[in-house]
Amino acid sequence: MPPKGLAILIGAGPTSGAGIARVLTSPSNGNLALAILSRKPDNLNKVAEGVQSSTSNPVIGFPSDTTPEKLSKAFADMRSHPSFKNLKLKVAVFHVKNSSRKPFLEETHVDFMNSLNTYVGDAMTFAQEAVKRMFEDSGKTPLADGGEKKGTIIITGTLGVMRTNTNFAAYGASRSGARSLA
């Protein structure tokens, strides 16, 4: 059975990222072709190969970090990739790990703001790229006016979104910001 559409996953670590990828590509669940983005080529290749072994749908890796320039390039590369020809973007998942941990009085403004930029600002860029692609694929007419459903954007989070522990100021602030963005 051919894939129903395209999914994009950024943050394809070998554990939870791989699990998300398997669900998205599984014929009994998402049945989607998958573009995987990761800043670590080893993780990217491992996850892509592992998922590809359990599905007939295309699973293609695109090395990328979360910066606007790299995300824009990755979305352009996906748009022109022959494996995804005529597939509409149905699901986009921002699943980027944030491991910022240090005592509050050792936190610097620069490091704190870098965390916000990466985990909130770059999530916004990812979501914007996904929306542009969804509009390109399915038009801009709203559902209320008879347009088709465009797709789903997911920004994953953790309990740290709701309640941050000691040494996790930047982590908590950035995860809360990403939740608010979502």
Side-chain angles (χ1 to χ4, degrees):
M1 159 179 6
K4 294 183 199 175
L6 172 64
I8 299 171
L9 169 64
I10 187 166
T15 53
S16 62
I20 294 168
R22 282 189 182 83
V23 169
L24 292 169
T25 60
S26 166
S28 60
N29 291 302
N31 192 35
L32 300 166
L34 181 63
I36 301 177
L37 287 72
S38 177
R39 64 182 145 221
K40 296 180 181 177
D42 290 344
N43 284 351
L44 181 63
N45 295 332
K46 259 187 228 173
V47 172
E49 289 169 8
V51 174
Q52 188 62 69
S53 69
S54 64
T55 185
S56 59
N57 291 335
V59 178
I60 311 294
F62 296 87
S64 180
D65 61 25
T66 59
T67 61
E69 302 78 26
K70 294 275 180 89
L71 284 173
S72 182
K73 182 183 180 330
F75 271 80
D77 291 346
M78 286 180 255
R79 200 172 277 108
S80 65
H81 199 282
S83 295
F84 304 141
K85 185 178 182 180
N86 300 323
L87 293 178
K88 293 180 179 183
L89 178 58
K90 298 293 185 184
V91 179
V93 182
F94 188 87
H95 182 68
V96 176
K97 181 181 178 184
N98 179 344
S99 56
S100 177
R101 180 177 197 256
K102 70 170 76 166
F104 181 71
L105 292 177
E106 293 175 22
E107 186 70 70
T108 66
H109 183 268
V110 168
D111 290 345
F112 188 85
M113 295 310 291
N114 283 341
S115 184
L116 289 175
N117 189 47
T118 298
Y119 299 103
V120 183
D122 295 351
M124 184 216 50
T125 299
F126 177 81
Q128 284 181 329
E129 290 289 340
V131 167
K132 287 185 226 173
R133 171 70 190 261
M134 289 173 181
F135 281 170
E136 181 182 304
D137 291 347
S138 302
K140 292 183 181 181
T141 305
L143 284 171
D145 295 337
E148 65 180 281
K149 183 175 188 285
K150 311 299 183 245
T152 302
I153 299 171
I154 299 168
I155 300 174
T156 63
T158 64
L159 184 57
V161 166
M162 305 300 285
R163 181 184 49 125
T164 302
N165 293 322
T166 304
N167 299 329
F168 291 94
Y171 175 86
S174 64
R175 298 316 281 172
S176 294
R179 180 176 191 258
S180 292
L181 173 69

